[in-house]
Amino acid sequence: MFRARHVSESINRPPSIVMAIARDPLSLPEWAAGLADGIRREGDAWIATSPMGEVRVEFRTDIERGILDHDVTMPDGTVVTNAMRVLPNDGGSEVVFTLFQRDGMSDAEFDADAAAVAADLRSLRELCERMAG
C-alpha cells in the first residue's frame, strides 16, 4: 500500500459553486498549476500541458456526491489516480485531495507534491471566492 496524505482547503462557498468551477476542465489552468498550464480537447480526451509534459486527464465526477476524481496519464504512460472530494462544511465547502506516495517517490518529492497540491487548492479557494463573490 502507498503512504497517503490528505490535503484540504476550506472554501467560503457552497459545494455546488465549488463543484461547478473545479469540475470544468477549462478552469484547470486558473487554479491547478501543478497539473495544467493549458488544456485542450482532443477527441474524447483532455490533454493538459503540464510541468511534466503533455498529460491526458480523464475525469470521473459525481456532482451529487462531491466526487472530482481524475486519472492523469503521464508522458511515460503511467496512470496516476487522484481522489478529490468537495464536502459540505456548514455554509461552505471543504475540498480534500488524497495524495499517494507512489513507488520510487522520495519523501522529499512526496512533500513537494503535497506543497504543490496545497498551493493549487489555495488557488481554487481564491478563484471560487472571487468568481462567486
Side-chain angles (χ1 to χ4, degrees), residues 19 62-67 85-87:
M19 286 292 294
D62 184 324
I63 296 167
E64 297 289 318
R65 293 184 173 94
I67 297 171
R85 301 291 184 272
V86 177
L87 309 170

Side-chain angles (χ1 to χ4, degrees), residues 3 7 13 25 27-28 31 34 45 55 61-62 68 71 78 95 104 128:
R3 180 174 154 213
V7 182
R13 294 293 180 264
S27 77
L28 284 174
W31 66 269
V55 297
T61 60
D62 184 324
L68 290 171
D71 291 335
T78 302
V95 179
C128 288

Side-chain angles (χ1 to χ4, degrees), residues 8-126:
S8 67
E9 184 74 26
S10 299
I11 300 177
N12 191 21
R13 294 293 180 264
S16 60
I17 290 176
V18 175
M19 286 292 294
I21 293 169
R23 73 181 175 98
D24 178 3
L26 296 175
S27 77
L28 284 174
E30 295 182 64
W31 66 269
L35 175 62
D37 297 327
I39 193 163
R40 70 184 186 283
R41 185 85 180 189
E42 199 170 279
D44 291 337
W46 288 98
I47 307 298
T49 305
S50 78
M52 298 138 319
E54 283 201 342
V55 297
R56 178 187 169 117
V57 184
E58 182 181 341
F59 299 93
R60 292 184 323 279
T61 60
D62 184 324
I63 296 167
E64 297 289 318
R65 293 184 173 94
I67 297 171
L68 290 171
D69 292 355
H70 51 285
D71 291 335
V72 178
T73 304
M74 306 300 249
D76 69 0
T78 302
V79 178
V80 178
T81 298
N82 297 294
M84 189 171 166
R85 301 291 184 272
V86 177
L87 309 170
N89 182 352
D90 196 23
S93 301
E94 193 70 23
V95 179
V96 182
F97 187 102
T98 301
L99 183 65
F100 294 101
Q101 186 174 11
R102 299 176 315 277
D103 290 334
M105 179 184 274
S106 71
D107 288 345
E109 290 169 322
F110 189 51
D111 290 343
D113 250 6
V117 168
D120 287 350
L121 294 183
R122 280 191 303 275
S123 294
L124 177 60
R125 175 181 47 80
E126 292 166 1

